[in-house]
Amino acid sequence: APDGSPGHRGHMTTRPAIPVGVNLTTIGVETRWWLDAARRLEASGYGAAWAWDHFVSRGRLDDPMLECWTTLAATAAVTSRIRVGSFVTNVMNRHPAVLARMVATVADLAPGRVELGIGIGGHPAEHAAYGIEFPPPPERAARLDEAVVVLRALFTGGPVSHEGAWYRLDEAYAAPAPRPVPRIVIGGERPAGARLAARIGDAWTCMDADHDALLPVFEGALVA
Protein backbone atom coordinates (compact mmCIF):
# COMPACT_ATOMS: atom_id res chain seq x y z
CA ALA A 1 0.00 0.00 0.00
CA PRO A 2 1.24 3.57 -0.73
CA ASP A 3 1.18 4.52 2.99
CA GLY A 4 3.27 1.56 3.96
CA SER A 5 0.39 -0.27 5.65
CA PRO A 6 -0.21 -3.88 4.60
CA GLY A 7 -2.41 -4.13 1.57
CA HIS A 8 -5.01 -6.78 0.76
CA ARG A 9 -2.43 -9.32 -0.28
CA GLY A 10 -0.73 -8.96 3.08
CA HIS A 11 -3.84 -10.32 4.77
CA MET A 12 -4.25 -13.38 2.55
CA THR A 13 -4.15 -16.70 4.32
CA THR A 14 -2.95 -19.96 2.88
CA ARG A 15 -5.45 -22.80 2.96
CA PRO A 16 -4.51 -26.43 2.45
CA ALA A 17 -5.22 -27.71 -1.02
CA ILE A 18 -8.18 -30.03 -1.42
CA PRO A 19 -6.84 -33.41 -2.59
CA VAL A 20 -8.26 -34.51 -5.91
CA GLY A 21 -8.53 -38.15 -6.92
CA VAL A 22 -9.10 -39.53 -10.41
CA ASN A 23 -11.23 -42.54 -11.26
CA LEU A 24 -9.21 -44.11 -14.07
CA THR A 25 -11.12 -46.30 -16.48
CA THR A 26 -10.51 -50.03 -16.31
CA ILE A 27 -12.45 -50.70 -19.52
CA GLY A 28 -10.61 -51.41 -22.76
CA VAL A 29 -7.15 -50.60 -21.38
CA GLU A 30 -4.04 -52.59 -20.55
CA THR A 31 -2.47 -52.79 -17.10
CA ARG A 32 0.63 -51.02 -18.40
CA TRP A 33 -1.52 -48.03 -19.44
CA TRP A 34 -3.22 -47.94 -16.02
CA LEU A 35 0.08 -48.00 -14.13
CA ASP A 36 1.58 -45.31 -16.35
CA ALA A 37 -1.52 -43.15 -15.84
CA ALA A 38 -1.33 -43.59 -12.05
CA ARG A 39 2.35 -42.63 -12.03
CA ARG A 40 1.58 -39.52 -14.09
CA LEU A 41 -1.17 -38.56 -11.64
CA GLU A 42 1.25 -38.97 -8.75
CA ALA A 43 3.89 -36.87 -10.47
CA SER A 44 1.28 -34.15 -11.16
CA GLY A 45 0.30 -33.91 -7.50
CA TYR A 46 -3.08 -35.67 -7.54
CA GLY A 47 -4.19 -37.29 -4.32
CA ALA A 48 -5.60 -40.66 -5.38
CA ALA A 49 -6.19 -43.11 -8.21
CA TRP A 50 -9.45 -45.05 -8.06
CA ALA A 51 -10.50 -48.19 -9.93
CA TRP A 52 -13.91 -49.61 -10.74
CA ASP A 53 -14.75 -53.06 -9.43
CA HIS A 54 -16.30 -54.82 -12.42
CA PHE A 55 -15.44 -58.05 -14.17
CA VAL A 56 -17.17 -57.09 -17.44
CA SER A 57 -18.13 -53.78 -19.01
CA ARG A 58 -21.57 -52.25 -18.68
CA GLY A 59 -21.43 -51.95 -22.46
CA ARG A 60 -20.32 -54.97 -24.47
CA LEU A 61 -19.65 -57.89 -22.16
CA ASP A 62 -16.62 -58.96 -24.20
CA ASP A 63 -14.81 -55.64 -23.78
CA PRO A 64 -11.44 -55.99 -21.98
CA MET A 65 -11.73 -55.14 -18.27
CA LEU A 66 -9.02 -54.94 -15.63
CA GLU A 67 -9.76 -56.48 -12.23
CA CYS A 68 -9.87 -53.89 -9.48
CA TRP A 69 -7.74 -55.10 -6.59
CA THR A 70 -4.96 -56.76 -8.55
CA THR A 71 -4.64 -53.51 -10.50
CA LEU A 72 -4.51 -51.52 -7.25
CA ALA A 73 -1.87 -53.87 -5.83
CA ALA A 74 0.33 -53.32 -8.87
CA THR A 75 -0.24 -49.57 -8.59
CA ALA A 76 0.70 -49.55 -4.91
CA ALA A 77 3.96 -51.31 -5.79
CA VAL A 78 5.05 -48.77 -8.43
CA THR A 79 4.05 -45.56 -6.62
CA SER A 80 5.19 -43.96 -3.38
CA ARG A 81 2.74 -41.19 -2.45
CA ILE A 82 -0.58 -41.37 -4.24
CA ARG A 83 -3.49 -43.11 -2.52
CA VAL A 84 -5.19 -46.05 -4.24
CA GLY A 85 -8.72 -47.27 -3.78
CA SER A 86 -11.83 -48.91 -5.21
CA PHE A 87 -14.68 -46.82 -6.55
CA VAL A 88 -16.41 -48.93 -5.49
CA THR A 89 -16.03 -52.62 -4.62
CA ASN A 90 -19.19 -54.66 -5.10
CA VAL A 91 -19.99 -56.43 -1.83
CA MET A 92 -21.38 -59.39 -3.76
CA ASN A 93 -18.15 -60.04 -5.68
CA ARG A 94 -16.06 -61.33 -2.76
CA HIS A 95 -16.58 -62.78 0.69
CA PRO A 96 -15.63 -59.98 3.11
CA ALA A 97 -12.95 -62.14 4.73
CA VAL A 98 -11.26 -62.61 1.36
CA LEU A 99 -11.65 -58.91 0.62
CA ALA A 100 -10.14 -58.00 4.01
CA ARG A 101 -7.05 -60.08 3.22
CA MET A 102 -6.73 -58.48 -0.22
CA VAL A 103 -7.03 -54.94 1.14
CA ALA A 104 -4.57 -55.67 3.94
CA THR A 105 -2.04 -57.02 1.47
CA VAL A 106 -2.27 -53.86 -0.66
CA ALA A 107 -1.98 -51.82 2.55
CA ASP A 108 1.19 -53.76 3.40
CA LEU A 109 2.61 -52.58 0.08
CA ALA A 110 1.43 -49.01 0.66
CA PRO A 111 0.79 -48.28 4.36
CA GLY A 112 -1.62 -45.40 4.84
CA ARG A 113 -2.35 -45.11 1.12
CA VAL A 114 -5.28 -47.51 0.68
CA GLU A 115 -8.99 -46.69 0.60
CA LEU A 116 -11.75 -49.29 0.47
CA GLY A 117 -14.81 -48.00 -1.32
CA ILE A 118 -17.65 -50.52 -1.14
CA GLY A 119 -21.32 -50.64 -2.11
CA ILE A 120 -24.17 -52.98 -2.97
CA GLY A 121 -23.36 -53.35 -6.69
CA GLY A 122 -25.65 -52.83 -9.61
CA HIS A 123 -24.71 -54.64 -12.85
CA PRO A 124 -27.18 -57.55 -13.24
CA ALA A 125 -25.67 -58.77 -16.53
CA GLU A 126 -22.28 -59.17 -14.85
CA HIS A 127 -23.78 -61.26 -12.07
CA ALA A 128 -25.65 -63.43 -14.55
CA ALA A 129 -22.50 -63.96 -16.64
CA TYR A 130 -20.38 -64.98 -13.63
CA GLY A 131 -23.02 -66.85 -11.67
CA ILE A 132 -22.82 -64.43 -8.75
CA GLU A 133 -25.90 -63.96 -6.62
CA PHE A 134 -27.78 -60.70 -7.18
CA PRO A 135 -30.54 -60.47 -4.57
CA PRO A 136 -32.82 -57.41 -4.29
CA PRO A 137 -31.31 -54.15 -2.96
CA PRO A 138 -32.53 -54.55 0.65
CA GLU A 139 -30.70 -57.88 0.99
CA ARG A 140 -27.57 -56.53 -0.66
CA ALA A 141 -27.65 -53.58 1.75
CA ALA A 142 -27.97 -55.98 4.69
CA ARG A 143 -25.00 -57.95 3.39
CA LEU A 144 -23.00 -54.72 3.06
CA ASP A 145 -23.87 -53.76 6.64
CA GLU A 146 -22.60 -57.11 7.94
CA ALA A 147 -19.62 -57.21 5.59
CA VAL A 148 -18.31 -53.95 7.06
CA VAL A 149 -18.52 -55.51 10.54
CA VAL A 150 -16.43 -58.45 9.29
CA LEU A 151 -13.93 -56.20 7.53
CA ARG A 152 -13.36 -54.01 10.57
CA ALA A 153 -12.95 -57.05 12.80
CA LEU A 154 -10.38 -58.67 10.52
CA PHE A 155 -8.47 -55.42 10.14
CA THR A 156 -7.53 -55.91 13.82
CA GLY A 157 -5.60 -59.04 12.88
CA GLY A 158 -7.87 -61.46 14.72
CA PRO A 159 -8.68 -63.96 15.90
CA VAL A 160 -12.25 -63.21 14.89
CA SER A 161 -15.33 -65.32 15.39
CA HIS A 162 -18.55 -64.11 13.83
CA GLU A 163 -21.95 -65.70 13.43
CA GLY A 164 -24.16 -63.51 11.26
CA ALA A 165 -27.02 -63.76 8.83
CA TRP A 166 -24.67 -63.97 5.82
CA TYR A 167 -21.11 -64.57 7.03
CA ARG A 168 -19.50 -66.89 9.56
CA LEU A 169 -15.94 -66.88 10.89
CA ASP A 170 -14.36 -69.23 13.43
CA GLU A 171 -11.18 -67.98 15.12
CA ALA A 172 -10.04 -66.29 11.91
CA TYR A 173 -6.59 -64.70 11.99
CA ALA A 174 -5.73 -61.95 9.54
CA ALA A 175 -2.06 -60.95 9.65
CA PRO A 176 -0.48 -58.72 8.67
CA ALA A 177 -3.11 -56.34 9.98
CA PRO A 178 -3.16 -53.03 8.08
CA ARG A 179 -1.65 -50.10 9.96
CA PRO A 180 -3.12 -47.58 9.69
CA VAL A 181 -6.51 -49.14 9.06
CA PRO A 182 -7.86 -48.16 5.62
CA ARG A 183 -10.90 -45.92 5.49
CA ILE A 184 -14.11 -47.64 4.44
CA VAL A 185 -16.00 -45.41 2.01
CA ILE A 186 -19.62 -46.42 1.43
CA GLY A 187 -21.10 -45.86 -2.00
CA GLY A 188 -24.76 -44.87 -1.82
CA GLU A 189 -26.75 -43.46 -4.74
CA ARG A 190 -30.12 -43.49 -2.98
CA PRO A 191 -31.31 -41.97 0.32
CA ALA A 192 -31.10 -45.36 2.03
CA GLY A 193 -27.50 -45.72 0.86
CA ALA A 194 -26.56 -42.27 2.13
CA ARG A 195 -28.07 -43.07 5.53
CA LEU A 196 -26.25 -46.42 5.64
CA ALA A 197 -22.97 -44.65 4.84
CA ALA A 198 -23.53 -42.24 7.71
CA ARG A 199 -24.11 -45.15 10.08
CA ILE A 200 -21.35 -47.61 9.13
CA GLY A 201 -18.82 -45.80 6.94
CA ASP A 202 -15.82 -43.57 7.48
CA ALA A 203 -16.94 -41.60 4.43
CA TRP A 204 -19.61 -41.57 1.74
CA THR A 205 -19.49 -41.29 -2.03
CA CYS A 206 -22.05 -41.06 -4.80
CA MET A 207 -22.40 -39.95 -8.41
CA ASP A 208 -22.07 -36.21 -8.95
CA ALA A 209 -25.64 -35.87 -10.25
CA ASP A 210 -26.99 -37.23 -6.96
CA HIS A 211 -24.73 -35.31 -4.58
CA ASP A 212 -26.74 -32.15 -3.93
CA ALA A 213 -29.96 -34.05 -3.24
CA LEU A 214 -28.34 -36.70 -1.05
CA LEU A 215 -25.93 -34.55 0.97
CA PRO A 216 -28.64 -33.31 3.38
CA VAL A 217 -29.77 -36.93 3.85
CA PHE A 218 -26.21 -38.00 4.69
CA GLU A 219 -25.58 -35.08 7.02
CA GLY A 220 -28.93 -35.54 8.73
CA ALA A 221 -28.14 -39.20 9.39
CA LEU A 222 -24.76 -38.25 10.89
CA VAL A 223 -26.43 -36.27 13.65
CA ALA A 224 -29.44 -38.51 14.13
Side-chain angles (χ1 to χ4, degrees):
D3 62 359
S5 62
H8 174 71
R9 294 187 62 181
H11 292 281
M12 292 178 66
T13 58
T14 301
R15 295 182 179 180
I18 297 174
V20 176
V22 177
N23 187 20
L24 292 169
T25 185
T26 52
I27 304 172
V29 299
E30 296 179 346
T31 309
R32 181 176 300 174
W33 176 91
W34 216 97
L35 298 179
D36 286 345
R39 284 191 288 253
R40 290 197 300 272
L41 290 175
E42 179 172 70
S44 299
Y46 285 89
W50 302 86
W52 283 3
D53 181 30
H54 285 294
F55 300 141
V56 296
S57 170
R58 287 179 178 271
R60 297 181 305 177
L61 297 185
D62 61 347
D63 284 341
M65 171 70 77
L66 299 181
E67 193 279 325
C68 175
W69 281 98
T70 47
T71 300
L72 294 177
T75 305
V78 300
T79 57
S80 60
R81 181 195 57 79
I82 199 168
R83 301 177 74 83
V84 297
S86 53
F87 188 82
V88 296
T89 293
N90 179 349
V91 70
M92 299 302 299
N93 283 354
R94 301 166 191 83
H95 191 289
V98 174
L99 178 61
R101 303 307 302 124
M102 295 168 67
V103 175
T105 298
V106 180
D108 195 49
L109 282 168
R113 294 199 288 127
V114 180
E115 308 265 1
L116 170 57
I118 188 167
I120 68 171
H123 187 359
E126 177 177 65
H127 289 254
Y130 277 76
I132 299 171
E133 290 183 84
F134 193 65
E139 180 178 325
R140 302 199 317 268
R143 287 174 180 257
L144 175 58
D145 194 340
E146 187 178 339
V148 169
V149 172
V150 172
L151 287 161
R152 292 194 192 282
L154 287 173
F155 284 162
T156 68
V160 176
S161 293
H162 175 85
E163 186 76 21
W166 310 108
Y167 309 113
R168 293 168 180 80
L169 302 177
D170 183 13
E171 294 292 301
Y173 287 87
R179 295 291 181 269
V181 175
R183 285 198 314 166
I184 297 179
V185 182
I186 303 298
E189 299 178 23
R190 299 288 187 273
R195 287 190 289 268
L196 182 63
R199 183 167 61 82
I200 69 172
D202 299 311
W204 161 66
T205 187
C206 69
M207 294 299 184
D208 56 351
D210 305 315
H211 177 268
D212 289 350
L214 292 179
L215 181 59
V217 178
F218 175 71
E219 293 179 332
L222 285 175
V223 300

